[in-house]
Amino acid sequence: MSGNIELLSATLAAAKAEDRAALIAYLPAGFPSVDGGIEAVKAVVAGGADVVEVGLPHSDPVLDGPVIQTADDIALRGGVKIADVMRTVREAYEATGVPILVMTYWNPIDRYGIERFTAELADAGGAGCILPDLPVQESSVWREHADKHGLATVFVVAPSSKDERLATITAAGSGFVYAASLMGVTGTRESVGEQAQDLVRRTRATTGLPVCVGLGVSNAQQAAEVAAFADGVIVGSAFVKRMLDAPDEESGLAAVRSLAGELAEGVRKR
């Protein structure tokens, strides 16, 4: 079975045709449980998310702030495995029909096996992977397998990336480019800042791929601000925090669905 990179591209193009940014939600697999994580993906899509990133929990998540680290720790203590991540992608995709990507650090894929991972992700209906710590110059084997299985390879660019480096990264990527709005780890911020707008402008000068901004967006106002200059708005910590703060799973699901609705309204107010 081929992966869903074409669905991802079509979804982002459809949002653009509606003169709006896409809403991309991030949630870790296995949190608060494997079943609960699948339900959370369904909830954010029901609220209005266009695309979902499913996080593969990692014991040393260098890009993730304390909120996602806490969720990852809960998932890992619950015994989450790569098989559970694949199940999350499969069931979420079958239930929603939206593009589902996996966001993961490189080490788990390297240990699992690139061919095995890409084949299973494609078979589950996945649209691709976001790989924040895989250097582009070391990515050729991964990209070869991802291309073979119809999966997007999404690389992360940062405000510190020089123009020449941006061109190298975007030439190797597919699906979209993940623009980190600021230097540092994930988490909610008071403002997303001008750095993000400058980074999107510089990145667009190197590629025709959609440029989606993440790190720091937590409310409808910020989503609208970012949607004014980006092709997609990525929100993670704010969803995870709603789940963490909820007294029970049912309340958590209602909270993330509600937040997705507010953010979906925000990206339409660009």
Side-chain angles (χ1 to χ4, degrees), residues 18-102:
E18 293 174 15
D19 193 31
R20 67 175 178 87
L23 173 60
I24 303 174
Y26 166 93
L27 291 161
F31 169 74
S33 61
V34 177
D35 288 343
I38 293 166
E39 292 306 312
V41 175
K42 294 179 190 175
V44 295
V45 174
D50 299 290
V51 177
V52 179
E53 301 172 10
V54 170
L56 195 161
H58 194 269
S59 55
D60 186 25
V62 291
L63 186 73
D64 297 306
V67 170
I68 290 173
Q69 284 182 18
T70 300
D72 276 8
D73 187 51
I74 290 168
L76 290 167
R77 282 191 279 116
V80 71
K81 302 281 193 296
I82 287 181
D84 299 312
V85 177
M86 298 299 179
R87 184 188 146 212
T88 301
V89 172
R90 182 185 302 278
E91 295 192 17
Y93 170 63
E94 287 175 353
T96 66
V98 306
I100 312 283
L101 299 110
V102 170

Side-chain angles (χ1 to χ4, degrees), residues 190 192 217-227 262-263 265-267 269:
E190 290 300 315
V192 180
V217 177
S218 61
N219 58 46
Q221 183 181 339
Q222 290 173 338
E225 177 192 331
V226 174
E262 294 164 25
L263 293 165
E265 213 171 286
V267 300
K269 281 182 179 168

Side-chain angles (χ1 to χ4, degrees), residues 3-14 50-51 93 96-100 125-127 150:
N4 270 313
I5 185 172
E6 288 181 8
L7 174 64
L8 174 64
S9 298
T11 300
L12 294 171
D50 299 290
V51 177
Y93 170 63
T96 66
V98 306
I100 312 283

Side-chain angles (χ1 to χ4, degrees), residues 157-178:
V157 297
S160 60
S161 303
K162 300 285 188 282
D163 291 352
E164 189 180 343
R165 176 74 178 155
L166 287 176
T168 301
I169 293 170
T170 59
S174 56
F176 65 90
V177 182
Y178 187 126

Side-chain angles (χ1 to χ4, degrees), residues 100-122:
I100 312 283
L101 299 110
V102 170
M103 184 162 188
T104 179
Y105 296 98
W106 181 245
N107 181 255
I109 294 178
D110 197 33
R111 291 178 60 187
Y112 197 72
I114 300 173
E115 171 58 23
R116 182 183 176 197
F117 190 94
T118 51
E120 289 183 9
L121 182 56

